[in-house]
Amino acid sequence: MEHAENMAMGAANWLKRLWPLLLLAAVTTLVVAMGWHRYLTLEQLAANRESLRALMDDHYVLALTAFTALYAVTVALSIPGGVVLTVAAGFLFGWFLGGVLSVVGATIGATAVFLVARSALRDVLVEKAGPKLQRFADGFREDATSYLLFLRLIPVFPFWLVNLAPGLLGVSFWTYVLTTFVGIIPGTFAFALAGNGLDSVFDAQQASYESCLAKAGEGGHDSCQFGIDPGALLTTDVIVAVVALGVVALIPVVAKKLSRRTV
């Protein structure tokens, strides 16, 4: 009887700890199962741009709030589409306001993942971690600002993983929030700026698509595609500049390690 009660209490404690993570997983599964994530494409933006602009004209403040909330939820659920949303923000709201909304939304969503990971999984990881993993966590926390800025500036790892790992490694809340907010600014504004001039890109792509349909005849819908790659909107100069900023973020870590070797 006592064993059964202990088992029930243990299960209740696990459920209490894991329910935020289970909720995120359930909502993500629902979104993917319903296919709602497929709307996060530039093709959908091109097809609905006039109706979206009309909605903005009629309900501007609501549109700002709804977009920021959508961005936060997308990031919190780790659904691909952040780049498309950032480009769309620049297209709909202008590069500056679109960039600000994207940074705020992404930071809110990433912070939600951080808090869930820290509350649900960190204690388990600490209990199971071996000495090597613990030393890595200690080293990461010691230079968390530099490491996180680097990871935010240069997407070496997926965005969702960089949202999750710091919570498991014991990075402080404000260090995480500030490095996330600052670190995503260059890339976010670069995509927002690219989105600011999408009208001409959409028009050219639409003309090319219609020309293809006219030449292909009845089978044109199968052979002709209206597609735009978000990554193609960034120039080489912008990419080089962002990478350079990421390298600069690691300078304090390298300098610290070199000074230790010389002592």
Side-chain angles (χ1 to χ4, degrees):
M1 185 67 178
E2 183 178 349
H3 178 69
E5 290 179 356
N6 290 336
M7 290 284 290
M9 289 181 61
N13 289 334
W14 269 102
L15 184 60
K16 183 179 179 180
R17 176 183 294 178
L18 292 178
W19 75 262
L21 186 63
L22 295 174
L23 178 61
L24 282 182
V27 176
T28 302
T29 301
L30 174 64
V31 170
V32 174
M34 296 299 292
W36 294 334
H37 62 294
R38 296 192 183 97
Y39 290 97
L40 298 178
T41 64
L42 291 182
E43 290 76 21
Q44 288 291 331
L45 176 62
N48 297 286
R49 51 179 163 164
E50 297 304 328
S51 58
L52 288 172
R53 281 173 167 162
L55 181 64
M56 285 175 50
D57 292 339
D58 295 337
H59 309 283
Y60 188 69
V61 175
L62 178 61
L64 298 177
T65 306
F67 176 84
T68 306
L70 174 62
Y71 206 125
V73 170
T74 300
V75 172
L77 297 180
S78 301
I79 297 172
V83 171
V84 173
L85 284 174
T86 305
V87 172
F91 177 74
L92 294 171
F93 304 108
W95 72 268
F96 180 76
L97 181 57
V100 171
L101 295 176
S102 299
V103 169
V104 172
T107 302
I108 293 173
T111 302
V113 176
F114 170 84
L115 292 174
V116 168
R118 189 172 69 172
S119 63
L121 299 175
R122 183 170 182 271
D123 291 341
V124 178
L125 182 67
V126 170
E127 291 174 4
K128 302 295 183 181
K132 290 185 178 180
L133 183 57
Q134 190 59 52
R135 284 197 296 271
F136 172 78
D138 293 340
F140 192 93
R141 286 195 300 272
E142 184 180 352
D143 296 299
T145 299
S146 295
Y147 284 135
L148 286 175
L149 280 176
F150 172 78
L151 292 172
R152 290 304 188 190
L153 287 165
I154 304 178
V156 179
F157 299 104
F159 193 68
W160 64 265
L161 181 59
V162 182
N163 294 339
L164 185 68
L168 302 179
L169 297 174
V171 174
S172 70
F173 175 80
W174 286 114
T175 297
Y176 176 85
V177 172
L178 291 175
T179 53
T180 297
F181 184 86
V182 174
I184 64 177
I185 285 176
T188 298
F189 274 89
F191 276 111
L193 188 61
N196 195 44
L198 268 185
D199 261 324
S200 59
V201 176
F202 285 156
D203 291 339
Q205 185 65 26
Q206 184 66 39
S208 175
Y209 176 68
E210 291 176 356
S211 175
C212 178
L213 288 178
K215 293 178 181 178
E218 294 183 0
H221 289 286
D222 296 327
S223 58
C224 301
Q225 294 184 346
F226 183 95
I228 301 171
D229 179 13
L233 299 175
L234 288 183
T235 65
T236 302
D237 291 341
V238 170
I239 295 173
V240 170
V242 172
V243 171
L245 286 174
V247 173
V248 170
L250 283 182
I251 289 177
V253 178
V254 176
K256 185 182 293 185
K257 291 185 181 299
L258 290 176
S259 64
R260 287 175 179 172
R261 291 182 180 179
T262 56
V263 173

